[in-house]
Structures are given as structure tokens and as C-alpha cells.
């Protein structure tokens, strides 16, 4: 595991940060990776994020999965960053539970062209960001996206990059471009990713 992790870090340019997606792995593996120096971890279920944040309070826990409003409190209370914001009601629900400094938030954009996928459509992004800007407990720092499984991965990532460039004039702090997973992070990095989310390539395929 450590070797695979190190291998990714070695290949990553300095502007890009690795989020280790721990949703399928054990606490022991999280501990091992933390001891090796990994600080940023991702979870896709709010309850799991809460549990892990309680067990490992010194690590930074990134919420990367879909969110139902009734679980919003776990994100507001325990997340270091929220990657999957794409619904204003959920955003308001999360914001209610944010204490102290605003929660760093990425807007998830649907770049796959698949209608059943999560995310704000690129053409709806300006309005969504404007609505989000009224929620003071959330601080928009960029965009997140997932490529289609069988689509043109590079084109999806280029689209997210373009969306980011388009909004920068109005939102100069929205610099982050979070894209790329185990099977496509190398392409994402080539297309300008500033964060990648990698699970199975580090921890193996085991599903928990
Ligand atoms: C699970 C997950 C990942 C990591 O996927 P791998 O293919 O295991 O690297 C990345 N992003 C999101 C949103 C996920 O749910």
C-alpha cells in the first residue's frame, strides 16, 4: 500500500494534491498511511466521515459523495472540505452546522453528459455560484467533476477546466480543479487538476 501511495506522490506535480479515498479500507490502513505522512483523506458517506473524523481528528476529512439533507450536519461539523456541493438546499443545511471559519467548498459539475449523474450542469454554474455566494458559512474555492465511465475522459476534464476558467473572473478564489480517480488521474493531472481523489489504486479493490 505504502509503495503504491508513494508511487502516486512521486508522479504528482507539485501543484496537485492527493486526497486518499479511504471509503473501502480499514482504520488500520488509514493509520498506516497517516503515519507515512498522508493528511488528506476522502469519504463518500457522511456517517463514515463523522466516524473517521472522530477517530482521526488530526487528519483532514474531505466529503466527496452525494449528500442528503438529513445528513448535512456531519459535513458541516466534521468536513475539512466539501467536494460535492450541487444543491442549494443541501448547502444551506450544511452551512447551519459550520462553526468558526467557513467550510471550503467545491461545486460538483456534471461533466460526463450523463443525466443521472450528480452535479450542476455547466450552463447552470453562474447562477448556482451566485446563490452559493449568499451562504457565508461556505467558501467556494473551485470545482469538482467525474468523467463518464465510457466517455471521452480527456474531453470531460477539459470541460471542467474551461468551466473553472470561465468563472474565475467573477470568483477569483475558485481556483481548485478537483478531478481524477484511480483509473484516470494521470489524464486529469495533464489537464490541470489541482487535486485528485484516489482510492483503489492505493488501498486495493476490496469493497467494505
Ligand atoms: C470512490 C470515489 C473516488 C475514488 O475512486 P477510486 O476509483 O477507488 O480511486 C473518487 N471520487 C469519488 C467521488 C468517489 O466516490
Amino acid at each position: 500500500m505504502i509503495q503504491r501511495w508513494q508511487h502516486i506522490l512521486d508522479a504528482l506535480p507539485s501543484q496537485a494534491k492527493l486526497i486518499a479515498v479511504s471509503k473501502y479500507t480499514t482504520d488500520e490502513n488509514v493509520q498506516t498511511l497517516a503515519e507515512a505522512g498522508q493528511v488528506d483523506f476522502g469519504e463518500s458517506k457522511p456517517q463514515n466521515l463523522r466516524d473517521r473524523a472522530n477517530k482521526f481528528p488530526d487528519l483532514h476529512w474531505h466529503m466527496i459523495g452525494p449528500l442528503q439533507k438529513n445528513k448535512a450536519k456531519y459535513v458541516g461539523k466534521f468536513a475539512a472540505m466539501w467536494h460535492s456541493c450541487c444543491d442549494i438546499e443541501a448547502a444551506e443545511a450544511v452551512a447551519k452546522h459550520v462553526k468558526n471559519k467557513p467550510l471550503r467548498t467545491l461545486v460538483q459539475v456534471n461533466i460526463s453528459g450523463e443525466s443521472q449523474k450528480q452535479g450542476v450542469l455547466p450552463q447552470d454554474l453562474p447562477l448556482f455560484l451566485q446563490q452559493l455566494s449568499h451562504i457565508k458559512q461556505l467558501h467556494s474555492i473551485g470545482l469538482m467533476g467525474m468523467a463518464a465511465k465510457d466517455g471521452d475522459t480527456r474531453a470531460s476534464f477539459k470541460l471542467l477546466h474551461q468551466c473553472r476558467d470561465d468563472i474565475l473572473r467573477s470568483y477569483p478564489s475558485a481556483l481548485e480543479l478537483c478531478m481524477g480517480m484511480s483509473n484516470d488521474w494521470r489524464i486529469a493531472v495533464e489537464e490541470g487538476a489541482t487535486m485528485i481523489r484516489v482510492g483503489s489504486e492505493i488501498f486495493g479493490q476490496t469493497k467494505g
Side-chain angles (χ1 to χ4, degrees):
M1 176 184 73
I2 294 292
Q3 253 173 352
R4 292 193 296 262
W5 170 75
Q6 190 61 55
H7 197 73
I8 296 171
L9 287 185
D10 290 346
L12 217 51
S14 58
Q15 87 276 358
K17 182 159 152 173
L18 170 64
I19 316 289
V21 177
S22 51
K23 65 186 181 195
Y24 296 146
T25 201
T26 59
D27 286 345
E28 288 69 32
N29 280 343
V30 170
Q31 180 71 38
T32 304
L33 213 57
E35 282 166 10
Q38 178 68 29
V39 176
D40 292 279
F41 288 83
E43 287 287 335
S44 61
K45 297 215 173 93
Q47 301 97 309
N48 296 348
L49 179 120
R50 170 202 60 193
D51 293 347
R52 287 245 155 107
N54 278 325
K55 280 180 203 150
F56 302 100
D58 296 336
L59 302 178
H60 297 169
W61 291 96
H62 296 249
M63 173 60 188
I64 62 173
L67 180 66
Q68 281 163 355
K69 256 193 304 176
N70 60 339
K71 308 279 166 50
K73 57 176 175 289
Y74 303 140
V75 178
K77 281 184 187 164
F78 297 106
M81 195 184 295
W82 180 22
H83 291 235
S84 43
C85 175
C86 57
D87 177 272
I88 286 297
E89 284 184 30
E92 283 166 348
V94 167
K96 276 193 208 140
H97 299 279
V98 175
K99 297 273 143 51
N100 308 317
K101 62 179 176 10
L103 176 61
R104 298 190 302 153
T105 301
L106 302 176
V107 173
Q108 183 168 359
V109 183
N110 182 340
I111 52 171
S112 70
E114 299 165 310
S115 57
Q116 74 278 18
K117 277 279 167 65
Q118 282 244 121
V120 177
L121 292 172
Q123 63 267 31
D124 298 336
L125 204 46
L127 178 60
F128 187 83
L129 280 163
Q130 199 205 334
Q131 292 173 323
L132 201 57
S133 70
H134 297 302
I135 305 178
K136 296 302 170 203
Q137 298 87 343
L138 302 181
H139 179 40
S140 302
I141 58 162
L143 304 178
M144 182 274 239
M146 292 164 89
K149 275 222 161 59
D150 322 300
D152 184 339
T153 303
R154 191 177 295 276
S156 297
F157 292 154
K158 279 190 195 297
L159 173 60
L160 193 67
H161 194 146
Q162 185 62 52
C163 290
R164 199 277 313 262
D165 290 351
D166 290 346
I167 63 171
L168 263 186
R169 200 179 316 182
S170 309
Y171 303 94
S173 61
L175 278 166
E176 303 289 347
L177 205 46
C178 180
M179 55 192 194
M181 306 173 27
S182 290
N183 56 355
D184 57 17
W185 65 265
R186 288 170 182 82
I187 299 173
V189 167
E190 285 169 12
E191 297 302 333
T194 64
M195 292 179 209
I196 62 172
R197 309 175 308 273
V198 179
S200 39
E201 186 171 333
I202 302 173
F203 297 110
Q205 294 286 352
T206 49
K207 180 155 166 40

